[in-house]
Protein backbone atom coordinates (compact mmCIF):
# COMPACT_ATOMS: atom_id res chain seq x y z
CA UNK A 1 0.00 0.00 0.00
CA UNK A 2 1.41 3.40 -0.87
CA UNK A 3 2.67 5.40 2.05
CA UNK A 4 0.10 7.77 3.49
CA UNK A 5 -3.03 6.08 2.12
CA UNK A 6 -5.53 6.32 4.95
CA UNK A 7 -8.79 5.59 3.17
CA UNK A 8 -9.15 2.09 1.66
CA UNK A 9 -12.06 3.17 -0.59
CA UNK A 10 -9.94 5.36 -2.87
CA UNK A 11 -6.50 5.26 -4.51
CA UNK A 12 -3.55 7.05 -2.98
CA UNK A 13 -4.06 10.76 -3.62
CA UNK A 14 -1.20 12.74 -5.15
CA UNK A 15 -1.58 16.52 -5.22
CA UNK A 16 0.78 18.79 -7.13
CA UNK A 17 0.96 22.41 -5.98
CA UNK A 18 1.74 24.89 -8.74
CA UNK A 19 3.18 28.25 -7.75
CA UNK A 20 3.94 31.48 -9.59
CA UNK A 21 6.79 30.88 -12.08
CA UNK A 22 6.73 27.09 -11.66
CA UNK A 23 8.42 24.95 -14.31
CA UNK A 24 5.98 23.37 -16.80
CA UNK A 25 8.25 20.38 -17.47
CA UNK A 26 8.20 19.00 -13.94
CA UNK A 27 4.45 19.61 -13.77
CA UNK A 28 4.07 17.53 -16.92
CA UNK A 29 6.28 14.78 -15.50
CA UNK A 30 4.04 14.52 -12.44
CA UNK A 31 0.92 14.41 -14.59
CA UNK A 32 2.41 11.75 -16.86
CA UNK A 33 3.52 9.46 -14.02
CA UNK A 34 0.74 9.96 -11.47
CA UNK A 35 -2.17 11.50 -13.37
CA UNK A 36 -2.79 9.43 -16.48
CA UNK A 37 -5.25 6.56 -16.44
CA UNK A 38 -3.70 3.24 -17.35
CA UNK A 39 -6.50 0.83 -18.28
CA UNK A 40 -3.99 -1.80 -19.39
CA UNK A 41 -3.06 -2.29 -15.71
CA UNK A 42 -6.63 -3.05 -14.70
CA UNK A 43 -6.72 -0.59 -11.83
CA UNK A 44 -6.22 3.03 -10.93
CA UNK A 45 -2.85 3.64 -9.35
CA UNK A 46 -3.35 7.19 -8.07
CA UNK A 47 -5.93 9.91 -7.63
CA UNK A 48 -4.07 12.93 -9.00
CA UNK A 49 -4.97 16.61 -8.61
CA UNK A 50 -3.46 19.97 -9.45
CA UNK A 51 -3.91 22.95 -7.17
CA UNK A 52 -2.66 26.50 -6.80
CA UNK A 53 -3.08 29.37 -4.38
CA UNK A 54 -3.97 31.74 -7.22
CA UNK A 55 -6.75 30.87 -9.72
CA UNK A 56 -4.60 32.44 -12.45
CA UNK A 57 -1.03 31.20 -11.98
CA UNK A 58 1.61 32.47 -14.39
CA UNK A 59 4.06 29.71 -15.30
CA UNK A 60 7.79 30.11 -15.85
CA UNK A 61 8.81 33.08 -17.99
CA UNK A 62 5.17 33.73 -18.83
CA UNK A 63 4.95 30.76 -21.20
CA UNK A 64 1.29 30.41 -20.25
CA UNK A 65 -1.11 31.01 -17.38
CA UNK A 66 -2.62 28.04 -15.57
CA UNK A 67 -6.32 28.33 -14.76
CA UNK A 68 -9.16 26.05 -13.83
CA UNK A 69 -7.36 24.04 -11.13
CA UNK A 70 -8.39 23.49 -7.53
CA UNK A 71 -7.51 25.92 -4.76
CA UNK A 72 -4.76 25.34 -2.25
CA UNK A 73 -7.23 23.63 0.10
CA UNK A 74 -7.02 20.54 -2.15
CA UNK A 75 -3.55 19.97 -0.70
CA UNK A 76 -5.14 19.24 2.67
CA UNK A 77 -6.35 15.88 1.33
CA UNK A 78 -3.04 14.79 -0.17
CA UNK A 79 -1.42 11.49 0.74
CA UNK A 80 1.57 12.64 -1.31
CA UNK A 81 2.20 16.35 -1.85
CA UNK A 82 4.47 17.48 -4.68
CA UNK A 83 5.70 20.93 -3.72
CA UNK A 84 6.30 23.80 -6.17
CA UNK A 85 9.61 24.25 -7.94
CA UNK A 86 10.74 27.31 -9.84
CA UNK A 87 13.99 28.84 -11.10
CA UNK A 88 13.86 31.98 -8.93
CA UNK A 89 15.10 30.12 -5.88
CA UNK A 90 15.97 33.28 -3.95
CA UNK A 91 12.37 34.52 -3.91
CA UNK A 92 10.71 33.39 -0.67
CA UNK A 93 7.66 31.17 -0.91
CA UNK A 94 4.45 32.57 0.48
CA UNK A 95 3.67 31.92 4.17
CA UNK A 96 0.39 30.33 3.09
CA UNK A 97 2.19 27.83 0.86
CA UNK A 98 4.81 26.97 3.48
CA UNK A 99 2.09 26.44 6.08
CA UNK A 100 0.34 24.05 3.69
CA UNK A 101 3.52 22.03 3.23
CA UNK A 102 4.10 21.88 7.00
CA UNK A 103 0.54 20.71 7.69
CA UNK A 104 0.86 17.98 5.07
CA UNK A 105 4.05 16.73 6.68
CA UNK A 106 2.58 16.89 10.18
CA UNK A 107 -0.37 14.69 9.24
CA UNK A 108 1.93 12.10 7.66
CA UNK A 109 1.73 12.94 3.96
CA UNK A 110 4.73 12.11 1.82
CA UNK A 111 6.52 15.15 0.35
CA UNK A 112 8.19 15.24 -3.07
CA UNK A 113 10.33 18.03 -4.48
CA UNK A 114 11.47 18.06 -8.11
CA UNK A 115 14.58 20.07 -9.06
CA UNK A 116 14.40 23.33 -7.05
CA UNK A 117 11.50 21.90 -5.03
CA UNK A 118 14.03 21.07 -2.32
CA UNK A 119 14.20 24.82 -1.61
CA UNK A 120 10.46 24.83 -0.84
CA UNK A 121 10.71 21.92 1.60
CA UNK A 122 13.84 23.36 3.24
CA UNK A 123 12.23 26.79 3.55
CA UNK A 124 9.36 25.10 5.36
CA UNK A 125 11.95 23.89 7.90
CA UNK A 126 11.44 20.21 7.15
CA UNK A 127 14.86 19.21 5.81
CA UNK A 128 17.14 20.10 8.73
CA UNK A 129 19.52 17.19 9.44
CA UNK A 130 17.98 15.26 6.56
CA UNK A 131 19.27 14.19 3.14
CA UNK A 132 18.19 16.00 -0.01
CA UNK A 133 19.03 16.49 -3.67
CA UNK A 134 18.79 19.57 -5.86
CA UNK A 135 20.07 20.68 -9.24
CA UNK A 136 23.84 21.09 -9.39
CA UNK A 137 23.43 24.71 -10.53
CA UNK A 138 21.90 25.64 -7.18
CA UNK A 139 23.98 23.46 -4.87
CA UNK A 140 26.13 26.32 -3.54
CA UNK A 141 23.15 28.62 -3.02
CA UNK A 142 21.25 25.84 -1.30
CA UNK A 143 24.11 25.08 1.09
CA UNK A 144 24.46 28.77 1.94
CA UNK A 145 20.76 29.16 2.79
CA UNK A 146 20.22 25.78 4.44
CA UNK A 147 23.51 24.64 6.03
CA UNK A 148 21.77 22.10 8.28
CA UNK A 149 20.47 20.08 5.32
CA UNK A 150 22.63 17.12 4.25
CA UNK A 151 22.70 18.01 0.56
CA UNK A 152 23.85 15.31 -1.85
CA UNK A 153 24.62 17.44 -4.90
CA UNK A 154 25.79 14.79 -7.36
CA UNK A 155 22.93 12.27 -7.37
CA UNK A 156 19.73 11.92 -9.40
CA UNK A 157 17.41 11.77 -6.42
CA UNK A 158 17.25 11.09 -2.69
CA UNK A 159 14.65 8.91 -1.00
CA UNK A 160 14.67 9.89 2.67
CA UNK A 161 11.52 8.02 3.60
CA UNK A 162 8.67 10.50 3.81
CA UNK A 163 10.57 13.24 1.95
CA UNK A 164 11.93 12.61 -1.54
CA UNK A 165 13.81 15.09 -3.73
CA UNK A 166 15.03 14.94 -7.33
CA UNK A 167 17.99 16.87 -8.67
CA UNK A 168 16.83 18.16 -12.04
CA UNK A 169 14.13 18.18 -14.67
CA UNK A 170 14.67 14.76 -16.26
CA UNK A 171 15.33 13.13 -12.89
CA UNK A 172 11.74 14.00 -11.97
CA UNK A 173 10.82 11.01 -14.14
CA UNK A 174 13.42 8.85 -12.39
CA UNK A 175 12.03 9.78 -8.99
CA UNK A 176 8.43 9.42 -10.17
CA UNK A 177 9.08 5.87 -11.38
CA UNK A 178 10.95 5.14 -8.15
CA UNK A 179 7.83 6.16 -6.21
CA UNK A 180 5.62 3.97 -8.41
CA UNK A 181 8.03 1.08 -7.82
CA UNK A 182 7.98 1.72 -4.07
CA UNK A 183 4.18 1.90 -4.00
CA UNK A 184 3.22 -0.78 -6.52
CA UNK A 185 6.28 -2.93 -7.23
CA UNK A 186 8.73 -3.41 -10.09
CA UNK A 187 6.25 -4.98 -12.51
CA UNK A 188 3.88 -2.00 -12.43
CA UNK A 189 6.78 0.48 -12.57
CA UNK A 190 8.12 -1.31 -15.64
CA UNK A 191 4.71 -1.09 -17.31
CA UNK A 192 4.54 2.66 -16.62
CA UNK A 193 8.09 3.15 -17.93
CA UNK A 194 7.21 1.31 -21.13
CA UNK A 195 4.34 3.74 -21.69
CA UNK A 196 6.81 6.57 -21.14
CA UNK A 197 9.44 4.94 -23.38
CA UNK A 198 11.84 5.75 -20.54
CA UNK A 199 14.43 3.73 -18.64
CA UNK A 200 12.62 1.66 -16.04
CA UNK A 201 15.25 2.14 -13.38
CA UNK A 202 18.14 4.51 -12.89
CA UNK A 203 19.45 4.26 -9.36
CA UNK A 204 19.14 7.48 -7.38
CA UNK A 205 22.84 7.42 -6.58
CA UNK A 206 23.86 7.87 -10.19
CA UNK A 207 25.55 11.12 -11.09
CA UNK A 208 23.57 14.11 -12.34
CA UNK A 209 26.23 14.95 -14.89
CA UNK A 210 26.79 12.22 -17.48
CA UNK A 211 29.27 13.07 -20.19
CA UNK A 212 27.98 11.97 -23.60
CA UNK A 213 30.62 12.83 -26.20
CA UNK A 214 29.84 12.20 -29.84
CA UNK A 215 31.07 8.65 -30.48
CA UNK A 216 34.03 7.98 -32.68
CA UNK A 217 33.90 5.17 -35.20
CA UNK A 218 33.41 2.39 -34.23
CA UNK A 219 30.28 3.23 -32.21
CA UNK A 220 30.98 2.83 -28.51
CA UNK A 221 27.34 2.82 -27.41
CA UNK A 222 26.65 0.39 -24.59
CA UNK A 223 23.14 -0.41 -25.84
CA UNK A 224 24.03 -3.70 -27.61
CA UNK A 225 26.02 -4.89 -24.60
CA UNK A 226 23.24 -4.00 -22.16
CA UNK A 227 20.65 -5.84 -24.27
CA UNK A 228 22.93 -8.89 -24.44
CA UNK A 229 23.48 -8.89 -20.67
CA UNK A 230 19.80 -8.37 -19.84
CA UNK A 231 18.97 -11.50 -21.81
CA UNK A 232 21.42 -13.48 -19.67
CA UNK A 233 20.87 -11.84 -16.30
CA UNK A 234 20.40 -15.19 -14.56
CA UNK A 235 23.77 -16.45 -15.71
CA UNK A 236 26.91 -15.94 -13.59
CA UNK A 237 28.02 -12.92 -15.57
CA UNK A 238 30.96 -10.91 -14.31
CA UNK A 239 32.40 -7.55 -15.26
CA UNK A 240 35.15 -9.47 -17.06
CA UNK A 241 32.48 -11.27 -19.10
CA UNK A 242 30.96 -7.94 -20.09
CA UNK A 243 34.35 -6.58 -21.07
CA UNK A 244 35.08 -9.67 -23.16
CA UNK A 245 31.74 -9.35 -24.93
CA UNK A 246 32.45 -5.66 -25.66
CA UNK A 247 36.01 -6.55 -26.77
CA UNK A 248 37.56 -4.01 -24.43
CA UNK A 249 39.52 -4.13 -21.21
CA UNK A 250 37.65 -3.99 -17.87
CA UNK A 251 39.15 -0.54 -17.27
CA UNK A 252 37.85 0.75 -20.62
CA UNK A 253 34.44 -0.74 -19.95
CA UNK A 254 34.38 0.96 -16.55
CA UNK A 255 35.14 4.33 -18.16
CA UNK A 256 32.39 3.85 -20.75
CA UNK A 257 29.81 2.95 -18.10
CA UNK A 258 30.80 6.01 -16.09
CA UNK A 259 30.62 8.26 -19.15
CA UNK A 260 27.38 6.90 -20.64
CA UNK A 261 25.39 5.71 -17.60
CA UNK A 262 26.99 7.46 -14.65
CA UNK A 263 27.50 4.18 -12.82
CA UNK A 264 29.83 1.17 -12.77
CA UNK A 265 29.37 -2.12 -14.64
CA UNK A 266 29.03 -4.01 -11.36
CA UNK A 267 26.44 -1.60 -9.95
CA UNK A 268 24.42 -1.79 -13.17
CA UNK A 269 24.57 -5.59 -13.20
CA UNK A 270 23.49 -5.79 -9.57
CA UNK A 271 20.61 -3.38 -10.14
CA UNK A 272 19.33 -5.44 -13.08
CA UNK A 273 19.49 -8.60 -10.97
CA UNK A 274 17.57 -7.05 -8.11
CA UNK A 275 14.92 -5.82 -10.55
CA UNK A 276 14.58 -9.35 -11.96
CA UNK A 277 14.30 -10.77 -8.43
CA UNK A 278 11.50 -8.31 -7.67
CA UNK A 279 9.61 -9.31 -10.81
CA UNK A 280 9.93 -13.01 -9.96
CA UNK A 281 8.56 -12.47 -6.46
CA UNK A 282 5.70 -10.37 -7.82
CA UNK A 283 4.82 -13.15 -10.26
CA UNK A 284 4.48 -15.64 -7.39
CA UNK A 285 7.82 -17.42 -7.06
CA UNK A 286 8.14 -18.18 -3.33
CA UNK A 287 11.38 -20.20 -3.26
CA UNK A 288 14.18 -17.80 -2.40
CA UNK A 289 16.81 -20.11 -3.80
CA UNK A 290 15.05 -20.18 -7.16
CA UNK A 291 14.65 -16.40 -7.19
CA UNK A 292 18.32 -15.93 -6.31
CA UNK A 293 19.45 -18.37 -9.01
CA UNK A 294 17.21 -17.07 -11.80
CA UNK A 295 18.10 -13.45 -11.05
CA UNK A 296 21.82 -14.15 -10.92
CA UNK A 297 22.13 -13.13 -7.27
CA UNK A 298 23.43 -16.58 -6.39
CA UNK A 299 22.29 -17.22 -2.85
CA UNK A 300 19.27 -16.53 -0.69
CA UNK A 301 21.50 -14.58 1.71
CA UNK A 302 22.72 -12.30 -1.06
CA UNK A 303 19.15 -11.90 -2.32
CA UNK A 304 17.99 -10.81 1.15
CA UNK A 305 20.82 -8.31 1.52
CA UNK A 306 20.46 -6.79 -1.95
CA UNK A 307 16.67 -6.60 -1.85
CA UNK A 308 16.68 -4.91 1.55
CA UNK A 309 19.29 -2.41 0.38
CA UNK A 310 17.33 -1.58 -2.78
CA UNK A 311 13.75 -1.62 -1.47
CA UNK A 312 14.05 -1.47 2.31
CA UNK A 313 12.08 -4.73 2.51
CA UNK A 314 12.93 -8.35 3.18
CA UNK A 315 11.84 -10.88 0.52
CA UNK A 316 8.89 -11.98 2.67
CA UNK A 317 7.79 -8.37 3.27
CA UNK A 318 8.17 -7.61 -0.43
CA UNK A 319 6.02 -10.64 -1.28
CA UNK A 320 3.30 -9.58 1.14
CA UNK A 321 3.27 -6.09 -0.32
CA UNK A 322 3.64 -6.80 -4.04
CA UNK A 323 3.09 -10.52 -4.59
CA UNK A 324 -0.02 -12.03 -6.22
CA UNK A 325 -1.80 -12.37 -2.88
CA UNK A 326 -1.67 -8.59 -2.42
CA UNK A 327 -4.28 -8.38 -5.17
CA UNK A 328 -6.29 -5.23 -5.49
CA UNK A 329 -4.99 -4.03 -2.15
CA UNK A 330 -2.08 -2.44 -4.00
CA UNK A 331 -4.39 0.09 -5.57
CA UNK A 332 -5.31 1.87 -2.36
Amino acid sequence: MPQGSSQPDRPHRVVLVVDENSNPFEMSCAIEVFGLRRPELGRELYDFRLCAADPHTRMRDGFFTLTGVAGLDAAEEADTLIVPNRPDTQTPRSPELLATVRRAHERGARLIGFCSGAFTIAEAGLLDERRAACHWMWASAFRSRFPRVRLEPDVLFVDDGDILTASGSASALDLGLHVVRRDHGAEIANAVSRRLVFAAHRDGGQRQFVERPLPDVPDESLAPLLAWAQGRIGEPLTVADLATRAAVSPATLHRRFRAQLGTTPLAWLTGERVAMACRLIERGEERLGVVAQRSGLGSAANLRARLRRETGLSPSAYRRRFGPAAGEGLAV
Side-chain angles (χ1 to χ4, degrees):
M1 178 182 296
Q3 178 179 331
S5 288
S6 56
Q7 300 181 35
D9 58 340
R10 65 163 173 82
H12 183 98
R13 178 165 293 161
V14 178
V15 177
L16 169 66
V17 183
V18 182
D19 198 11
E20 185 76 13
N21 212 28
S22 285
N23 279 325
F25 182 85
E26 286 84 348
M27 179 183 72
S28 300
C29 288
I31 293 171
E32 181 73 32
V33 174
F34 301 110
L36 296 191
R37 297 191 180 279
R38 306 188 186 279
E40 72 275 14
L41 299 181
R43 65 175 187 260
E44 189 175 358
L45 300 183
Y46 299 100
D47 173 7
F48 179 82
R49 298 186 181 183
L50 279 169
C51 75
D54 192 321
H56 294 81
T57 301
R58 182 175 177 270
M59 301 298 289
R60 179 177 181 175
D61 295 332
F63 289 141
F64 58 89
T65 298
L66 188 68
T67 63
V69 300
L72 202 56
D73 56 345
E76 304 298 334
E77 299 180 356
D79 301 313
T80 291
L81 187 70
I82 304 177
V83 306
N85 71 308
R86 60 190 192 195
D88 53 334
T89 58
Q90 297 303 312
T91 302
R93 274 59 171 173
S94 71
E96 180 186 17
L97 171 61
L98 295 177
T100 297
V101 173
R102 293 188 194 101
R103 284 196 301 272
H105 184 259
E106 288 168 1
R107 69 170 184 274
R110 178 171 57 191
L111 301 181
I112 293 178
F114 293 145
C115 196
S116 58
F119 281 82
T120 304
I121 302 175
E123 195 172 341
L126 303 176
L127 277 178
D128 288 352
E129 311 303 332
R130 299 191 62 161
R131 299 165 53 236
C134 77
H135 196 286
W136 60 270
M137 286 179 58
W138 294 307
S140 296
F142 188 93
R143 283 199 182 97
S144 297
R145 288 185 61 189
F146 309 110
R148 296 181 61 189
V149 180
R150 294 161 52 195
L151 182 68
E152 298 185 12
D154 198 30
V155 300
L156 293 179
F157 61 82
V158 167
D159 180 343
D160 201 39
D162 59 343
I163 299 180
L164 301 90
T165 47
S167 60
S169 295
S171 59
L173 287 174
D174 292 297
L175 180 53
L177 287 171
H178 171 78
V179 170
V180 174
R181 187 180 308 107
R182 201 173 96 168
D183 291 347
H184 298 282
E187 197 75 18
I188 295 295
N190 287 342
V192 175
S193 72
R194 284 194 296 272
R195 279 278 299 270
L196 289 166
V197 195
F198 191 75
H201 178 59
R202 290 199 299 168
D203 184 75
Q206 289 184 212
R207 294 183 304 161
Q208 291 184 37
F209 244 155
V210 180
E211 297 86 1
R212 295 184 183 273
L214 292 174
D216 296 326
V217 178
D219 184 6
E220 296 183 349
S221 168
L222 289 171
L225 177 64
L226 301 184
W228 176 84
Q230 286 169 332
R232 296 162 176 79
I233 207 67
E235 299 177 12
L237 292 176
T238 64
V239 173
D241 293 329
L242 297 181
T244 299
R245 175 69 183 183
V248 297
S249 69
T252 297
L253 185 70
H254 187 95
R255 286 195 296 271
R256 290 184 184 175
F257 264 77
R258 277 294 188 189
Q260 296 184 39
L261 299 181
T263 189
T264 66
L266 181 60
W268 178 85
L269 197 55
T270 301
E272 290 296 312
R273 285 171 168 160
V274 172
M276 173 60 77
C278 289
R279 291 196 291 271
L280 291 170
I281 293 172
E282 291 172 30
R283 293 168 184 171
E285 180 55 67
E286 297 185 356
R287 297 165 294 177
L288 293 190
V290 172
V291 173
Q293 182 180 17
R294 291 180 60 188
S295 64
L297 290 172
S299 68
N302 191 39
L303 168 63
R304 291 189 187 93
R306 295 295 181 178
L307 193 67
R308 185 175 291 278
R309 180 182 180 277
E310 178 66 27
T311 69
L313 300 171
S314 67
S316 58
Y318 192 91
R319 184 183 301 112
R320 286 193 300 271
R321 184 167 175 179
F322 299 121
E328 293 302 314
L330 291 177
V332 297

